[in-house]
Amino acid sequence: MSQESKGSGNEYVTLQDHSTGKNYDFPLMPGSIGPKVIDVRPLYAQTGHFTYDPGYTSTGSCESKITYIDGEEGILLHRGYPIEELAEQSSFLELCYLLLNGELPTQSERQKFEATITNHTMVHEQLHNLYRGFRRDAHPMAIMCGVVGALSAFYHDSTDINDPRQRMIASHRLIAKIPTIATMAYKYSIGQPFVYPRNDLSYAENFLHMMFSVPAADYKVSPIVSRAMDRIFILHADHEQNASTSTVRMAGSSGANPFACIAAGIASLWGPAHGGANEAVLDMLNEIGSKDRIGEMIERAKDKDDPFRLMGFGHRVYKNHDPRARVLMKSAHEVLGELGIENEPLLEIAMELEKIALEDDYFVQRKLFPNVDFYSGIILKALGFPTSMFTVLFAVARTVGWIAQWKEMIEDPSQKIGRPRQLYTGYTQRPYVAVDKR
Ligand code: ACO
C-alpha cells in the first residue's frame, strides 16, 4: 500500500492486488484534527473484496463533529472544548446544549434550555404501572432497557424522525426524563414510593432528591455532593463511537424511533467491558480487601490462563491516561474529604493498585492505564449509591451523547442503514438430509 498526491493535491492510498497485478486508488479524507481516513466505499465495486475488521478497530463508521479523542495523548474534546475545562467550569446542562447544538449557549439560550429540560422531568403517570410489572429484585438496568424503550408507546408525538421539531422534542424529553426513570427503577427495587421531580432544583440536585429523599422526611442536597454528581454526569456525557453509541447509531440507521434507539444503547452499555466496569471495579476492590493482596491480583490479571482482568484498566482508544480518570481521582479525594470519610480503605487499595500496575512491565508495555471507571465507583459509593445503580448513572449521563450522535446521523445526508459484511467460514452449499437419514 502506498500513499501519494495526485492532481489537485488530493491524496490517495494505492492498494495493489498481487493476484491480478492491478492497482486501485482510494482517496484519503482529512478531518479537522486526527489521522486521515482511507475512503474504502468503492472497495467492493472496484476490487470485489470487503475489509475484515472485527471490533471495528480500524474502521471509521461515520463523520462526526461532536467529540474528538486522541488516545495516544490522552485528549478528549467536546465540540473543541477540553473535558478538563468543561468539568471545572461548565455544568452538565450547558454541556447537553453544547453537544446537541454545537455551540455554548448565550445566557438567555442557557436559561431557556434549562427551563425546557426542567419542565419535562415528569413522566406519564401511567408509566408507573409499567414498573409494577417488574420483579422487585430486577436489576435497575433491566428496568431501564424496558422503560426507555416503552417511552415510544407514550410519546407518539415525538417519534417522527423526519421532523426536526419532533427530533428536538424527543431529545429534550430523553434528557429531562432519564433521571426520573432511573431513580424510579431504584425506588421500585427497594420498595420505596416514587419521588416526583422538583422544578426548583438543578439537574444534579433533582436527581439526588429523587434518588435519596422519602416523603416522610426532609432531604437537603449538599452543594458538594451535587457538584460531584454534576461533574460525574459531565465526564460521562459522550465519548464518540464507543459500543453503546455505535449501537444507537446502528439501531437508528434503520429509521427506528429515538426512544427505541436509546434503549438499544442502554442494553449495550450494560456489559462489564463497557458501562458495567465501574460496578466491576468496586467488586474487584472489595474482593482484594487489603493492600497485601494486590500483588496476587496483579499476577492473576497478567496470567493468560486466568480470565480475570484488572477492572478499570485499559481502554480501546486511550493508550495513555484517560483524562476523565485524572479529573475523577482529584474529585474522589475532594468528595471523601468533604464527606468526612477519612481513610476510605477502597480508595487506599485503588491508589496502591494504580501505583503498582503503572510500574509493572505488563501494564506499561500494553499501555494499560486507569480509565474513567476506576475512580467513579469509589465516588458513587461515597455518595451513597448502591453498586447496582452505577451503570444506570452512566446511562443517565450518556443519554445526551447518544441522542446528539443519533441526531447528527439523521441529519447527515450521506447516512445509510448500517449493514456490515462478513467473512463466511461455514459450510458451502449441501443438500437437505431427511430426518431418518441423519
Ligand atoms: N487487565 C489485564 N490485561 C488487560 C486488561 C486488563 N484490564 N485490558 C487489556 N489487557 C491486555 C489484554 O489481555 C491484551 O494482552 P495481550 O496483548 O497479551 O493479548 C492487551 O492488554 C490488549 O487488550 P485488548 O483486550 O486487545 O484491548 P481492547 O482494546 O480490545 O480492550 C477493554 C479494551 C475491553 C476496555 C479492556 O482493556 C478491558 O477489558 N478492561 C477492563 C474492563 C474495563 O475497565 N472496561 C471499561 C472500559 S471504559 C468504558 O467503557 C467507559
Side-chain angles (χ1 to χ4, degrees):
M1 211 163 61
S2 63
Q3 183 181 328
E4 56 186 89
S5 286
K6 288 192 173 174
S8 58
N10 291 338
E11 289 176 292
Y12 289 80
V13 160
T14 302
L15 186 76
Q16 187 175 45
D17 184 337
H18 289 276
S19 61
T20 61
K22 277 191 181 167
N23 284 344
Y24 302 95
D25 289 339
F26 296 101
L28 270 179
M29 294 169 68
S32 43
I33 32 172
K36 292 172 186 162
V37 301
I38 307 169
D39 182 357
V40 294
R41 280 175 292 183
L43 183 75
Y44 180 65
Q46 288 186 15
T47 68
H49 302 301
F50 297 118
T51 55
Y52 180 64
D53 186 21
Y56 312 120
T57 52
S58 297
T59 298
S61 61
C62 62
E63 200 181 310
S64 182
K65 293 183 168 54
I66 301 173
T67 292
Y68 173 75
I69 302 172
D70 181 336
E72 298 299 327
E73 297 298 323
I75 291 170
L76 168 59
L77 310 176
H78 291 315
R79 303 279 189 191
Y81 298 104
I83 190 65
E84 295 87 345
E85 289 179 28
L86 292 166
E88 201 52 52
Q89 297 171 48
S90 185
S91 69
F92 178 65
L93 278 191
E94 185 175 70
L95 177 58
C96 289
Y97 185 98
L98 175 70
L99 292 173
L100 281 176
N101 300 295
E103 294 296 338
L104 286 169
T106 60
Q107 185 68 13
S108 65
E109 285 167 340
R110 185 179 154 147
Q111 278 165 356
K112 192 168 165 235
F113 182 72
E114 285 180 359
T116 303
I117 299 300
T118 308
N119 284 306
H120 286 88
T121 46
M122 283 201 303
V123 292
H124 195 292
E125 195 64 13
Q126 205 172 328
L127 206 69
H128 291 209
N129 299 331
L130 193 64
Y131 282 80
R132 300 201 166 93
F134 286 98
R135 276 172 56 142
R136 287 273 178 197
D137 59 357
H139 194 288
M141 280 299 276
I143 301 181
M144 293 292 286
C145 291
V147 175
V148 173
L151 292 180
S152 42
F154 284 85
Y155 301 102
H156 301 279
D157 58 342
S158 53
T159 53
D160 179 356
I161 63 157
N162 298 313
D163 177 349
R165 192 165 171 277
Q166 291 200 29
R167 288 202 294 272
M168 193 47 93
I169 294 172
S171 308
H172 292 164
R173 278 183 170 151
L174 277 156
I175 296 166
K177 294 182 199 309
I178 199 86
T180 316
I181 291 167
T183 51
M184 284 170 72
Y186 172 63
K187 288 293 190 191
Y188 183 74
S189 73
I190 57 166
Q192 286 187 2
F194 298 138
V195 176
Y196 286 91
R198 266 179 43 190
N199 287 3
D200 60 324
L201 299 177
S202 74
Y203 194 84
E205 285 170 337
N206 188 39
F207 178 73
L208 292 161
H209 155 73
M210 290 189 289
M211 178 81 197
F212 295 118
S213 75
V214 287
D218 269 351
Y219 174 76
K220 286 250 175 325
V221 183
S222 136
I224 292 123
V225 170
S226 71
R227 181 68 192 124
M229 193 72 256
D230 199 66
R231 197 170 276 164
I232 285 181
F233 287 154
I234 291 175
L235 294 173
H236 290 82
D238 190 52
H239 212 231
E240 51 116 313
Q241 310 313 320
N242 54 81
S244 57
T245 303
S246 298
T247 303
V248 170
R249 279 187 178 254
M250 179 70 97
S253 74
S254 69
N257 75 71
F259 303 109
C261 297
I262 301 303
I266 292 172
S268 169
L269 186 75
W270 195 357
H274 191 8
N278 55 7
E279 188 173 339
V281 169
L282 217 68
D283 292 344
M284 177 189 75
L285 294 175
N286 276 316
E287 194 191 333
I288 295 176
S290 72
K291 283 192 203 169
D292 51 7
R293 286 200 59 219
I294 291 175
E296 181 194 321
M297 297 309 251
I298 298 250
E299 288 314 308
R300 277 190 63 194
K302 287 156 55 172
D303 181 356
K304 290 287 160 214
D305 297 327
D306 190 330
F308 174 77
R309 279 189 165 194
L310 219 50
M311 286 293 127
F313 262 78
H315 198 277
R316 169 60 59 80
V317 179
Y318 292 118
K319 303 301 170 197
N320 200 325
H321 282 278
D322 178 338
R324 302 166 302 170
R326 284 201 187 123
V327 176
L328 276 184
M329 184 181 86
K330 198 167 151 250
S331 202
H333 284 286
E334 278 169 19
V335 168
L336 295 178
E338 292 291 341
L339 294 176
I341 307 172
E342 306 296 338
N343 310 322
E344 163 62 50
L346 292 187
L347 184 62
E348 283 179 17
I349 296 171
M351 303 257 310
E352 187 67 14
L353 184 66
E354 179 181 358
K355 190 167 156 274
I356 294 174
L358 291 180
E359 286 165 1
D360 190 297
D361 265 359
Y362 175 95
F363 293 88
V364 174
Q365 275 167 17
R366 289 168 181 76
K367 299 185 176 171
L368 300 170
F369 291 88
N371 59 47
V372 67
D373 297 307
F374 192 67
Y375 284 103
S376 65
I378 296 167
I379 301 179
L380 295 176
K381 180 175 182 279
L383 297 184
F385 289 95
T387 45
S388 62
M389 280 298 285
F390 288 6
T391 319
V392 177
L393 276 151
F394 195 157
V396 169
R398 186 54 59 86
T399 293
V400 62
W402 290 330
I403 200 75
Q405 299 267 355
W406 169 84
K407 212 170 129 298
E408 182 179 66
M409 179 193 70
I410 300 291
E411 289 164 9
D412 179 353
S414 68
Q415 185 263 328
K416 280 182 183 319
I417 185 167
R419 196 348 181 149
R421 305 304 292 247
Q422 62 171 4
L423 174 66
Y424 178 70
T425 53
Y427 286 109
T428 52
Q429 186 171 330
R430 53 185 179 156
Y432 177 78
V433 180
V435 70
D436 57 332
K437 302 254 166 37
R438 286 173 212 161

